[in-house]
Amino acid sequence: IFTRLSDDRYLSVNVSKSMELSITTSDAFGTKESGYLSRGTEDQLYLAMRLAVAELITNEGEKLPIFADDSLSQYDDGRTKKAFSFLKEYAKDKQIIMFTCHSFIKSAAEGLDIKTLDM
């Protein structure tokens, strides 16, 4: 999931027993701790981790909704568009409900024909 969200810049995520995250890059830098990532990339990693955990705890065939609260708030425009493109495809057999107070996130979703509501 993280590979797809990051346009193949990161190849894998490792989680240690102490829950520390490290990532393997597709460039010459190899493996690095998640603390060296930008805030936007770190948020991509956390979104990927939440989706992966949801898949792990869901029984096969079970379709539970996924709720996300401002998961894209640290994303730049490119990351936001990429995330919504991914989530639109990912949610074909799932329901994802995302809350935000940021109008640019709502606009990005609407630009990709994703249903939005004002609350």
Side-chain angles (χ1 to χ4, degrees):
I1 295 171
F2 185 49
T3 299
R4 290 179 57 199
L5 281 172
S6 66
D7 273 336
D8 299 325
R9 288 180 40 212
Y10 303 98
L11 303 177
S12 67
V13 177
N14 301 306
V15 183
S16 72
K17 288 181 181 182
S18 61
M19 300 304 289
E20 294 172 352
L21 302 174
S22 62
I23 49 101
T24 303
T25 65
S26 59
D27 58 23
F29 294 109
T31 302
K32 60 174 130 180
E33 295 174 15
S34 64
Y36 290 101
L37 301 173
S38 70
R39 290 291 302 149
T41 304
E42 193 173 43
D43 277 0
Q44 285 176 310
L45 175 59
Y46 291 137
L47 176 59
M49 295 293 292
R50 284 192 294 271
L51 296 175
V53 168
E55 287 181 10
L56 288 172
I57 65 172
T58 304
N59 293 327
E60 193 169 320
E62 194 173 25
K63 302 204 185 315
L64 297 175
I66 296 171
F67 292 88
D69 185 20
D70 256 341
S71 296
L72 310 181
S73 64
Q74 297 291 324
Y75 286 30
D76 57 28
D77 291 344
R79 281 189 180 100
T80 302
K81 186 175 179 180
K82 177 70 178 173
F84 276 129
S85 293
F86 169 80
L87 290 170
K88 186 174 182 177
E89 179 68 28
Y90 185 82
K92 283 193 176 189
D93 65 343
K94 300 169 186 64
Q95 182 180 31
I96 299 176
I97 300 168
M98 185 173 289
F99 299 94
T100 187
C101 62
H102 300 282
S103 59
F104 78 93
I105 293 174
K106 181 181 182 220
S107 296
E110 291 170 340
L112 291 169
D113 248 0
I114 296 172
K115 184 177 180 176
T116 64
L117 299 171
D118 287 323
M119 302 301 279

